Amino acid sequence: MQANEALKAFSLKQLESALQLAQISLQSTEQLIRLQLDVAKSTLESQAQKVQAATELKTPEQLAQYNKDSIKAGLESVLSYSNSLYELASQTQNELGKLGESQLTALNKDIISTLDQTAKHAPAGSETAVAVAKQTVQATAAAIDSLTKAAKQVADFAEASVKAAATATTDAVRQAARL
């Protein structure tokens, strides 16, 4: 009977995890769709304004300035969209990472608990085997934790690099637009 309860509890935890994963996926998809709709709306409005402005051009100098401003605005729009996409992907990755970490922590707890329960009913002299199994689980958890921290550091570095590159690109676009 105890095995059935443990299986039921495990199944419920897995169902909860699947629901959390689905929720994160749906939220990310919703944010992506909202971002794309906002960009489409903004692009349509911008194009309407550009057409209106183009009809008012009278000199070659105005045309040159119009082209320069249009290129600058287009590049800034692309950079902004790229940054928004990157932030959304990064946010989703963080949420999925947290979910994975919590699931791994819960799994390790369950394994240790199961080993403790097994040790209570194990024959005499098996304490060493149970202790070795527990140490193995704990060492594996520590190794995964170290790998997770290293991956987070790499992701943080990559994020900082992307932000620096985006800032440098934006500054270069602005600088070129002034010329």
Side-chain angles (χ1 to χ4, degrees):
M1 192 65 170
Q2 195 173 30
N4 286 341
E5 292 298 318
L7 182 59
K8 180 180 174 182
F10 178 76
S11 296
L12 288 174
K13 286 180 185 178
Q14 295 309 307
L15 178 61
E16 184 179 309
S17 295
L19 290 173
Q20 288 174 334
L21 179 62
Q23 184 179 18
I24 291 169
S25 298
L26 286 173
Q27 286 174 346
S28 296
T29 302
E30 181 182 338
Q31 290 173 334
L32 179 61
I33 290 170
R34 191 176 311 119
L35 174 64
Q36 290 174 335
L37 288 173
D38 289 347
V39 167
K41 182 180 176 182
S42 174
T43 301
L44 285 173
E45 290 171 359
S46 173
Q47 292 302 317
Q49 290 172 354
K50 285 180 184 179
V51 168
Q52 179 65 34
T55 62
E56 298 171 5
L57 298 175
K58 295 185 181 10
T59 66
E61 292 81 19
Q62 288 176 332
L63 177 62
Q65 186 62 43
Y66 169 81
N67 285 336
K68 191 173 165 183
D69 292 344
S70 293
I71 290 170
K72 178 184 173 191
L75 288 174
E76 287 178 350
S77 177
V78 167
L79 287 173
S80 174
Y81 180 67
S82 297
N83 286 337
S84 296
L85 283 177
Y86 181 79
E87 287 174 17
L88 177 59
S90 180
Q91 176 185 355
T92 302
Q93 179 185 4
N94 285 337
E95 289 179 28
L96 291 173
K98 287 176 186 176
L99 177 63
E101 285 179 37
S102 69
Q103 292 304 309
L104 187 58
T105 300
L107 178 64
N108 286 336
K109 268 179 150 176
D110 289 345
I111 290 172
I112 296 292
S113 175
T114 301
L115 286 172
D116 287 339
Q117 291 297 320
T118 303
K120 289 179 183 176
H121 303 292
S126 61
E127 297 85 15
T128 304
V130 171
V132 167
K134 283 172 116 176
Q135 286 177 339
T136 301
V137 169
Q138 291 169 344
T140 302
I144 290 173
D145 187 49
S146 294
L147 288 173
T148 302
K149 286 178 182 175
K152 182 162 178 30
Q153 288 175 343
V154 169
D156 290 345
F157 177 74
E159 184 174 350
S161 297
V162 167
K163 285 181 180 178
T167 301
T169 304
T170 302
D171 291 345
V173 167
R174 288 186 181 136
Q175 182 78 17
R178 287 185 207 139
L179 299 176

